[in-house]
Structures are given as structure tokens and as C-alpha cells.
Amino acid sequence: MSIGTPSETKIGPSDLRNVAIIAHVDHGKTTLVDALLRQTGTFRTNERVVERVMDSNDLERERGITILAKNTSIRYRDLKINIVDTPGHADFGGEVERILSMVDGALLVVDAFEGPMPQTRFVLSKALAQKLKPVVVINKIDRPDARPAEVVDEVLDLFIALGADEEQIDFPIIYSDARRGTAHLAPDDGNEDIKPLLDAIVETVPSPSGDPGGPFQMVISNLDYDEYVGRIIIGRIARGTVRTGMNVTICREDKTRPAKVGKLYTFEGLKRLEVPEASAGEIVALMGLLDAGIGDTVTDPEHPEALPPITVEEPTLSMTFRVNDSPFAGREGTYLTSRHLRDRLDRELESNVALRVEETDSPDAFVVSGRGELHLSILIENMRREGYEMGVSKPKVIFKQETGPDGRKKLLEPLEDLVIDVPEEYLGRTMEHLGTRRGELTNMHARGGRVRIDEIIPARGLIGFRSDFLTYTKGYGLMYHIFHGYGEHRGSIPERRSGSLVAWERGTATAYALSHLEDRGIFFLGPGEDVYEGMIVGEATRDKDIDLNVGKKKHATNVRSSTGEELVRLTPPRRLSLEQALEFINEDELVEVTPKAIRLRKKILNRHTRREARHEVYVGESDES
Ligand code: GDP
């Protein structure tokens, strides 16, 4: 984000509207914000507009999700409208509430064909609980398959299901074609600009409350970093006025400490604008408050009154991150030690509020818990891009115990709302999978050769499902899931059955060996790749691990059979993504993550030691029974 020049204009609560934008991935949130920015003159004609202005993080672009909430603003009818982007995924649990605490209204963007999706539902439920005023935008009305009237009904049903109050249910509806930048009161009214949407925001969303004359008070909702100025804290001023250089008190729980505000910025268009002061209602970025964290209240030193801390949802999934002790450790990464891991995780904890890190008996391993697979795999992915190496264990869901009214203890587990959309021919297979994974059907309808299935399913049941699903639907299946809540444990779910193909010694895989071992399973690597003893090189066809020598070379006497022919016959390896690798591994296995590679391995690399350990487990188990 670039930084603009100081401005003299003073803005009070009545000059402001603060609104969050909520949508399922790809329903058009970014395109809509671009249109709003353009038509309110935020882009100068010579300014190059990147197609999707809001998602700037590489990873966000790749995965099409918004991870970090961003702020933008537009000017319309003498008002300043701050638009806050919301993370759409429950895996960023804590963040949604924090972001929504800065606004008074929400733009709910829904695709005119797809209708409400799990993400829409999740974030909308938070917005309604915070009593925000919604404006519903039915986007992509230009789609040939658009069915705006039905989608409006579905949105209304969703509001009712989520317990919206009467005022919220009375939401205005705007139809839009965000790509052309047009908004409409009726789908076919022929309007040619975005104004109806702007008017709806101004008329529906109230001005922020708060007395600009009172003592300063603001909760920190977000953190940002800037390579020049360091940590930046972001929040909405609840009361009073903040000025450059002002002394403040930072309140955390019942502790307080003095601090001094450095520079002060508001958001103008896509930029941060330095200002001398800002008052109640405005969303600001403050520099210089080095050790303030999310949820802290920054106050006037004379009135150190903390606002209620922002609630953060409990983690539902954990993994162990450990120092990479594979024979290839240090080949590709820069940061390898337990000290590196610990410092990086500590840094993450400052802004990633739904994350937990616990020490273990070993100084080289940390249990990292978060809001789901996506939450943790994004952290891992960011770390490997920054140069870290580590070993990661199989994800485990976090169970809870509850004592019922009869005094009986109940085991609870995290459940997910799952939506699946598949071509009809895969319906049977999908229902069978979901059944064994203890899914519970809540809704199903067919439309145009495809079927949409809504289920509530244990988070456990989803581990390992996605890669299967994408394979058997040949990429034509879509699935989304989002945290639903904790529910009673639903009983056992079969685990992965197949064993691993394990390299038997260090070496380099050869085409000769791979082609002769093809009947043992599917390989994850191809000829020429280095392996070490205990590294997993494929998935076995049978249900036990198989140790094999993938580095075997052809004897010199066999020169007559041509190598070229073997290369041609070799089945291409199955390359696992980080998520697929995490889903594949068993308890006694790890994913080795480095900036360049994702390898799978046995925890115990030596095959003799491994056999002994297996034997002990076996004896132990039979003792118990
Ligand atoms: P986001 O993930 O919600 O930010 O969605 P984007 O704004 O990135 O839009 C996703 C895709 O939908 C892009 O390919 C857009 O060009 C397209 N899109 C957005 N709005 C419209 C629209 O009104 N009509 C049509 N036909 N496509 C749209």
C-alpha cells in the first residue's frame, strides 16, 4: 500500500459509513470493489489498476481466498465510506469477528447462479450476531444461467435460518454486473452505473457512534507491517480523538503501560494517508506502538478503560512442527533450528489470533493448533516460502469433553458444513464416501445435470477426502466446507488402508527400478530424484508398507534392452501438494517441508529399528485386549 500526503480535512462520525464486504470465493467481491473505486474517481486515469486490487498476497491470489483483511475507502455524496474486506473462511475464525467489530453494515455479495455458499453463511451469521445492517448484492446477473429471483429467496431463507431480526430481514436488494460496473434495483432496469449500490449503502448503513470530544479509546482489530516503519496497528476509534505524538496507555486485561503514538494514517482509496488527527468512528492505522497486540485497548492516559476483548474461537485441529532431521535437512532451506521455528511461531502468534503453540517434551517439536487444515497449511506454506524447513505430523482434530445434565461425560468433535457439487454420474459414489465418513445429509437438489449436496460431517471425515474426491470426479467435482460447531462424537471412521512404498536405502531413483516396481503401487517421484532410507516414495497397492530399492541399476550385461523404451512406459508419478501430503500420512509418518520440496517419510528412518518398533506396538496392543 502506498502512502499519500497529509490532509487537513477533519472527519466526524456523521461524515462516515463503515461497511464490511462479505462473499464466498469468486462471487465477485474484488470486481465489485474495483467498480466502486473506479466510479467514485479513486483511480486517476494514469494509474494502472491491477485487475484484482484487494487480494495482494501471492498465496491469496493462488488460492483465491482472502486471508488478511484489507481496508479501502471511497468518497460519495460528501461522505467517506470505509470498506473493509473480510476473510471468508472460518479457518481464520478470530479474524472475522475482529474485522466486523470495526463496521456498522455489511455488503453481502451472492452469485446470481450459485446462491449462498458455506462461506456466505458463516460470515453472515457473524455479521447478524453483531447486529450489522446488511445490503444484499446479487452479482453476475449477466450470467446466462443467472436465477436472481430464486437466489433472493435462498438468501431470505438463510437470514431466517440464522435468526436475523426484523430490521435485518428488511434488507435492500441490489442486482449487479460487477464486471460492467452496473448496479440495479431490478435485474432488467437498464441502469448504467454503480450508484444504486452506493445509495443503498448510504441509506442503510448508519454512521458510527462515539463522541469525538470524549477521552480517546480504541480496540486494536488488526496488525500490519511496513518495512520502513515497522508494526502498524489498525482499529476503529470508539471515542475521542487521536493525534500524532500523543501519549496513550495500552490496556491488556488488567495491565496497563504507557506508549506514544507516532505517525497516524487514515485510508483513502487504496492508500494510507498521513493525517495530524482522527476522531471517533474513523478507521485508523497508528505507528509507534511497538508492543501493542490485537485485542488491546489504546486509551487516553487519564482514562485507561479497556473495552471488552474480542472473542476468538478455539482451535479445532493440531499438528506437530518439528526440526527437520531428515538426511536432506539443510539442502534447500535457510532456517532449520528449533530456535528459528520457535521465533517464527512466536511472531505468528502476535497477529494470528486463532493460533496456539505449545511446547512438547522435546525442545525440537511444537504442537501448533489452529482453525482447520487451511489455517495451518497456509502458515506452513508461508514459512517454506520464507526459507524454513520442518517436519510436520498428521493433522489431528481436537476433541472436547462435556458433562451432560445426567452427569455423564460426552465426547465432542468438530463438525463441518459441507457443500458438494458434482455431475450426476458421481452422486452414488459420493454418497457412499460421505456415508462411511459419517456425514449427515441436510439438503440435496439437482439442477442441469449436476447435484448439490449439503451435509454436516465430522472434520475427521474430511481429512483425506478431498484428494479422493477430486480424483474420482476427474476435477469436475466442487467441494467447500466450513466449521459448523462441536457435536457428539459420531463413531469410528475408517482410516487410510493402503501402505506406503518406502525407500530402502539412500540413492537416486532409476527408471529401471521404478518400471520394475510399478506393480507395487503408485510412485510420488520420477527417475533422477534423490531418496533416503525411510523416505516414502509412493502409495502401496496392499495395506502394508513395502520397503523397496528404487535406486537399482541395470546390470551391465543387460545392455541390449533399451533404456528409452522403459522411460516411455513409465507411469507419470503422482505429485502430492502440501494438503494432499498432510492428508496422506499416517501416525508414524511425517511430511518434510522445505522451500523446494515436499517429501514424505517414516518417522523412524532405519528399516530395522522401524520393524522393532512396529513389533513393540503390536505386542503392546495385544496385551491390552
Ligand atoms: P472474489 O473472489 O469474490 O473477489 O471474486 P472476483 O471479483 O475475483 O471475481 C471472480 C470471477 O468472477 C472473476 O473472473 C470475475 O471477472 C468474475 N465476475 C465478477 N463479477 C462478475 C459479474 O458481475 N458477471 C460476470 N459474468 N462475471 C463476474
Side-chain angles (χ1 to χ4, degrees):
M1 193 184 284
S2 54
I3 293 175
T5 44
S7 136
E8 299 301 322
T9 37
K10 270 196 190 162
I11 294 174
S14 58
D15 306 317
L16 283 169
R17 297 290 189 274
N18 295 326
V19 63
I21 183 159
I22 298 174
H24 186 74
V25 162
D26 273 352
H27 283 194
K29 176 161 74 169
T30 314
T31 312
L32 198 66
V33 172
D34 287 357
L36 288 169
L37 285 164
R38 271 199 198 89
Q39 291 188 35
T40 53
T42 307
F43 296 121
R44 272 175 279 117
T45 44
N46 60 353
E47 211 166 4
R48 201 177 75 88
V49 182
V50 185
E51 199 200 329
R52 308 179 38 151
V53 287
M54 277 186 127
D55 298 350
S56 50
N57 181 309
D58 287 353
L59 213 55
E60 292 180 38
R61 263 171 205 274
E62 274 169 35
R63 300 186 186 222
I65 47 170
T66 308
I67 303 166
L68 300 166
K70 308 286 163 40
N71 301 53
T72 34
S73 80
I74 51 178
R75 298 278 181 160
Y76 181 64
R77 299 206 318 217
D78 294 331
L79 293 171
K80 177 176 178 183
I81 304 171
N82 281 309
I83 303 173
V84 181
D85 196 8
T86 49
H89 207 279
D91 279 5
F92 310 102
E95 213 160 323
V96 177
E97 279 92 344
R98 274 160 38 213
I99 298 317
L100 295 181
S101 71
M102 293 196 284
V103 301
D104 305 288
L107 293 187
L108 177 72
V109 183
V110 183
D111 182 302
F113 169 73
E114 281 201 337
M117 294 296 278
Q119 244 173 273
T120 334
R121 183 190 175 98
F122 176 78
V123 188
L124 180 64
S125 73
K126 304 285 176 195
L128 294 176
Q130 297 210 16
K131 298 289 165 212
L132 302 184
K133 292 279 179 298
V135 173
V136 170
V137 183
I138 308 293
N139 187 39
K140 308 200 189 182
I141 50 162
D142 58 303
R143 277 182 72 150
D145 48 5
R147 40 180 201 98
E150 281 168 58
V151 169
V152 168
D153 285 344
E154 291 168 15
V155 171
L156 190 60
D157 289 346
L158 183 59
F159 270 69
I160 295 166
L162 294 175
D165 63 30
E166 263 173 46
E167 245 183 284
Q168 289 172 323
I169 285 186
D170 208 15
F171 54 81
I173 303 165
I174 302 293
Y175 301 88
S176 67
D177 175 345
R179 276 209 302 221
R180 280 187 62 231
T182 63
H184 313 263
L185 295 173
D188 49 4
D189 66 7
N191 187 53
E192 285 294 327
D193 60 25
I194 203 83
K195 275 204 182 118
L197 175 57
L198 287 162
D199 292 331
I201 296 173
V202 170
E203 282 148 27
T204 313
V205 180
S207 292
S209 54
D211 172 13
F216 176 62
Q217 192 186 38
M218 176 183 116
V219 180
I220 303 178
S221 296
N222 215 351
L223 291 179
D224 201 354
Y225 290 90
D226 182 293
E227 53 182 308
Y228 299 109
V229 297
R231 176 189 288 212
I232 300 167
I233 65 170
I234 296 166
R236 167 165 69 170
I237 303 172
R239 189 177 68 194
T241 297
V242 61
R243 297 183 182 83
T244 309
M246 187 168 115
N247 290 318
V248 291
T249 294
I250 297 170
C251 311
R252 176 180 301 169
E253 285 157 15
D254 45 6
K255 290 193 210 76
T256 60
R257 59 187 184 288
K260 191 177 166 123
V261 175
K263 287 185 176 169
L264 163 66
Y265 295 86
T266 54
F267 297 90
E268 283 295 336
L270 290 164
K271 295 180 172 157
R272 275 199 298 259
L273 178 76
E274 189 180 344
V275 291
E277 63 173 58
S279 298
E282 187 54 303
I283 296 174
V284 292
L286 307 181
M287 321 269 165
L289 303 177
L290 295 184
D291 48 359
I294 285 174
D296 294 355
T297 311
V298 187
T299 67
D300 178 314
E302 305 289 310
H303 300 84
E305 298 149 7
L307 287 163
I310 299 156
T311 54
V312 173
E313 303 212 34
E314 293 294 311
T316 57
L317 190 94
S318 68
M319 301 179 192
T320 304
F321 288 17
R322 55 174 68 227
V323 170
N324 185 15
D325 61 357
S326 102
F328 292 172
R331 272 196 179 187
E332 289 138 5
T334 322
Y335 306 114
L336 312 167
T337 65
S338 76
R339 178 62 184 274
H340 285 139
L341 283 187
R342 179 195 304 265
D343 288 353
R344 179 61 182 80
L345 290 172
D346 278 349
R347 190 145 42 88
E348 187 69 23
L349 285 172
E350 286 180 8
S351 59
N352 199 336
V353 289
L355 197 77
R356 300 273 181 286
V357 178
E358 289 155 71
E359 310 259 334
T360 64
D361 294 341
S362 155
D364 290 344
F366 304 88
V367 176
V368 182
S369 309
R371 294 281 304 164
E373 266 179 288
L374 189 61
H375 188 200
L376 294 182
S377 66
I378 283 176
L379 171 61
I380 298 169
E381 191 67 46
N382 277 326
M383 287 176 71
R384 67 186 278 246
R385 285 173 194 220
E386 292 161 15
Y388 288 83
E389 283 193 9
M390 62 195 151
V392 182
S393 71
K394 183 181 170 67
K396 281 191 196 140
V397 304
I398 299 172
F399 296 112
K400 276 193 197 170
Q401 281 220 329
E402 192 185 68
T403 313
D406 54 356
R408 279 251 198 91
K409 284 217 169 83
K410 271 198 297 196
L411 186 62
L412 304 183
E413 68 172 326
L415 303 175
E416 301 270 314
D417 279 320
L418 171 71
V419 171
I420 277 187
D421 183 324
V422 280
E424 260 163 16
E425 65 217 84
Y426 303 117
L427 177 63
R429 183 139 178 208
T430 303
M431 294 309 290
E432 199 178 304
H433 265 285
L434 296 176
T436 46
R437 290 162 184 274
R438 309 267 177 183
E440 176 199 316
L441 187 70
T442 54
N443 203 357
M444 174 152 85
H445 50 248
R447 195 186 296 134
R450 295 181 71 94
V451 187
R452 172 170 157 158
I453 307 160
D454 293 33
E455 297 231 344
I456 296 174
I457 189 166
R460 271 182 307 143
L462 286 179
I463 296 177
F465 176 62
R466 180 187 299 270
S467 30
D468 257 15
F469 174 76
L470 293 178
T471 311
Y472 76 73
T473 60
K474 305 192 173 66
Y476 289 109
L478 299 172
M479 73 176 259
Y480 302 97
H481 60 97
I482 202 149
F483 181 61
H484 173 84
Y486 269 86
E488 208 163 330
H489 191 275
R490 295 201 170 164
S492 70
I493 293 175
E495 302 252 327
R496 181 188 114 208
R497 278 284 154 76
S498 52
S500 298
L501 300 178
V502 184
W504 135 304
E505 61 180 13
R506 186 164 175 158
T508 304
T510 62
Y512 175 77
L514 294 179
S515 68
H516 282 85
L517 294 167
E518 273 193 333
D519 59 336
R520 305 299 169 87
I522 298 160
F523 285 101
F524 299 155
L525 46 67
E529 290 180 49
D530 290 345
V531 300
Y532 51 80
E533 177 178 4
M535 181 167 147
I536 299 169
V537 295
E539 175 170 6
T541 25
R542 27 174 260 198
D543 61 1
K544 289 204 182 65
D545 289 357
I546 310 173
D547 293 311
L548 20 99
N549 182 359
V550 291
K552 199 167 182 178
K553 293 193 188 71
K554 194 183 332 193
H555 284 299
T557 47
N558 282 353
V559 271
R560 256 171 298 165
S561 93
S562 119
T563 317
E565 237 170 74
E566 274 159 14
L567 276 175
V568 173
R569 282 203 305 266
L570 216 52
T571 317
R574 190 206 303 165
R575 302 279 176 194
L576 299 187
S577 66
L578 175 62
E579 282 89 346
Q580 288 169 335
L582 288 169
E583 293 195 341
F584 178 82
I585 55 170
N586 276 328
E587 293 292 345
D588 63 337
E589 298 169 345
L590 291 173
V591 178
E592 177 186 357
V593 181
T594 79
K596 298 221 178 74
I598 291 167
R599 299 186 192 94
L600 287 74
R601 55 169 279 192
K602 301 307 285 188
K603 274 185 185 160
I604 303 174
L605 296 176
N606 180 277
R607 63 178 190 279
H608 303 297
T609 322
R610 199 160 63 236
R611 195 168 307 138
E612 279 158 27
R614 211 165 35 224
H615 184 65
E616 275 161 30
V617 169
Y618 176 72
V619 172
E621 275 170 2
S622 58
D623 278 351
E624 257 172 51
S625 58

